[in-house]
Amino acid sequence: LAYARYVTSRKPSASDRTRETGELALVRQLRERIGLGIQRSADIRLGIGDDCALLRPGDGEELAVTTDLSIANRHFRLDWHPPESVGHRTLARGLSDLAAMGARPLAAFLSLGLPRELAAPRRRGTPSWMSRFLDGLLALAAVHSTPLAGGDLAESPLAVADILLIGAVPRGRALLRSGARPGDLVYVTGSVGGAAAALERLKGLSAPLKGRPKSLAAHLHPQPRVAQGLWLQRRGLASAAIDLSDGLSTDLGHICEESEVAAEIDETALPVHSGASLEQALHGGEDYELLFAARPSARMPRSIAGVPITKMGRILKRRAGQPAVTITSAQGRRPLRPQGWEHFS
Ligand SMILES: [Mg+2]
């Protein structure tokens, strides 16, 4: 909590206020903006202002913890992504992991490494890249009542944002990847392929983006399914769950791997996002929908908290030498190899 240490001991002087850069001023800017969220949260006993934050989960709860690293030119591009979108996506990745466990978000911690020119305003009176990044991150944090309770800030040759999310879930009740059994049905929230389709459109733009075009929202502002994950966890309806970050073919493979089962999906039942191709729906990542299995006897609603739920496949017994995931269509049945996102490949 490096930025906590700078801000606790003294009141800002007039000269601090007029200096636009420098760690002290940046730290104050951060703290002023995130303090409100912390005051409203009952789960945080102590936020920024000491060496550590103190969290107080409820009785009978266990903590779900996840980190996600976002690196310039790898997860976002300064020339493609508006800073608000980078902030939003940074937090969305972590919230989506909590959603996949059915955990209630308690707090987020952000470590930012930024080149000097991104931390300071380009011209006096205009917001810096960092400030706009925080606009995006804090707007999504407010939607999901997730206070930013600490972090770190450093000058870096490359823009890097690492988010740590802590959630709470009733002991022993988290949604896992490992609970799917043969005979279970496979469901997905929302639609798939929209983020990959929007990214293709974003890459094709000749001029920098203006405003918040709706046609790119699935990529620039994906909505983590926190309410849906919580709903499933509270009712004990899902036998296994994962969030779609790497792509359907890869993520369903993860459920099969951890549950030691196979899965079959029905191509005609797939909720392909409008404007997306089948390829993008099967292998494009970053949709941040929930993919889950449930017993055939589970009564699944058509929608959860306003988001449609689609049954699109089933869990099968795993057989040696057979592909874990297959897809059926009018043409018959074919293996669905994982072709989603993979680092170091
Ligand atoms: Mg995940």
Side-chain angles (χ1 to χ4, degrees), residues 177 180 250-264 314-316 318 323-326:
R177 296 178 178 185
T250 300
D251 291 320
L252 185 52
H254 290 319
I255 285 193
C256 290
E257 189 69 29
E258 296 303 323
S259 296
E260 298 176 26
V261 293
E264 176 187 80
R314 59 198 180 112
I315 299 293
L316 307 169
R318 182 146 214 177
V325 184
T326 51

Side-chain angles (χ1 to χ4, degrees), residues 176-177 179-189 232 237-242 248 252 255-256 259 261-266 269 290-301 309-317:
L176 306 179
R177 296 178 178 185
R181 297 290 169 262
D184 286 359
L185 301 174
V186 177
Y187 298 85
V188 68
T189 62
L232 289 168
L237 273 187
S239 55
I242 190 170
L248 180 57
L252 185 52
I255 285 193
C256 290
S259 296
V261 293
E264 176 187 80
I265 61 175
D266 176 2
L290 294 184
L291 175 69
F292 59 97
R295 305 282 182 248
S297 57
R299 290 185 56 174
M300 201 57 67
I309 304 298
T310 306
K311 182 174 77 186
M312 53 148 206
R314 59 198 180 112
I315 299 293
L316 307 169
K317 252 197 194 133

